[in-house]
Amino acid sequence: MTDGPEFANAGLHGYVSDVVLPDLERSGLALSGAHVLELGAGSGSFATRLAQRGASVVAADLESGGYADYSGPGEFVALDLNTQGFSAAFHGRTFDVVVALEVIEHLESPLGFLREAAALTRPGGYVVLTTPNVDNFPSRVLFGLSGQLRGASATDDPGHISPILLWTFTQRVVPRTGLRLEQQWRYPPRGFLPGPGLKRRALTAAAPLLRKAGLHGDNHVFVLRK
């Protein structure tokens, strides 16, 4: 059971909690007792999952309104993630894991945000991010037809102001942050989220071929390490 709504694609929180984090534990991270910071914690839904796994949680987001109205566990820090140098609000504290799910695409400076997240991560710790996959096959088709990216188009959330392109992010942005890319996952791992309509059915049918080409998935999940 989790508190509050999940402001993400259906099942994404569960995938990170039940697949990605256990994979990190197999690599040596002890999540039980770990100090975890969630940036852009929203209602507290994912923070609740973290607490259920034994983590000591600190959550940060806007004080109220929009995606905030935090009702999850642990300490809450009111914070605007567009503020330059926001890591200073934590007074030198660092964390074993910093999590930001469906946040970076809403921010004015993804590079600046990631540098601040790195400053809040202890040496050897992890940063876990998710963001809409604007590199998948339907996004490429949409861009070719309209010059817009799926997940950041006229019909998507108007708060998606900084779409994250895979190559630019991994090859140009991450190396400037003091972090390194450990893993990059796609969610759903075998294709696309199901849904009504001919387009979704066609994507589901084409998923095996698109998966081989790396053109599947509605979201990227990045695991970075300091």
Side-chain angles (χ1 to χ4, degrees), residues 60-63 77-87 107-108:
D61 209 324
L62 297 172
E63 189 167 4
V77 177
L79 190 64
D80 184 348
L81 298 176
N82 282 317
T83 303
Q84 186 175 3
F86 69 76
S87 60
L107 301 178
E108 295 167 2

Side-chain angles (χ1 to χ4, degrees), residues 95-155:
F95 298 84
D96 300 302
V97 184
V98 175
V99 178
L101 306 185
E102 302 302 278
V103 171
I104 195 169
E105 69 276 4
H106 291 266
L107 301 178
E108 295 167 2
S109 174
L111 174 56
F113 168 77
L114 206 55
R115 283 175 171 158
E116 293 300 300
L120 290 164
T121 306
R122 68 162 178 82
Y126 294 91
V127 176
V128 179
L129 306 173
T130 74
T131 192
N133 180 0
V134 300
D135 295 276
N136 62 19
F137 178 75
S139 185
R140 293 178 189 222
V141 172
L142 179 63
F143 185 80
L145 294 174
S146 69
Q148 300 179 55
L149 292 168
R150 185 171 179 259
S153 72
T155 60

Side-chain angles (χ1 to χ4, degrees), residues 110-200:
L111 174 56
F113 168 77
L114 206 55
R115 283 175 171 158
E116 293 300 300
L120 290 164
T121 306
R122 68 162 178 82
Y126 294 91
V127 176
V128 179
L129 306 173
T130 74
T131 192
N133 180 0
V134 300
D135 295 276
N136 62 19
F137 178 75
S139 185
R140 293 178 189 222
V141 172
L142 179 63
F143 185 80
L145 294 174
S146 69
Q148 300 179 55
L149 292 168
R150 185 171 179 259
S153 72
T155 60
D156 291 303
D157 185 339
H160 289 187
I161 61 173
S162 298
I164 301 300
L165 293 163
L166 177 61
W167 190 90
T168 304
F169 183 74
T170 59
Q171 303 301 313
R172 294 288 186 262
V173 174
V174 172
R176 289 169 165 78
T177 65
L179 301 167
R180 68 177 185 272
L181 180 67
E182 286 277 295
Q183 296 185 66
Q184 183 260 319
W185 312 58
R186 290 177 177 86
Y187 172 80
R190 300 189 63 80
F192 300 90
L193 290 170
L198 180 60
K199 290 181 181 179
R200 276 287 168 178

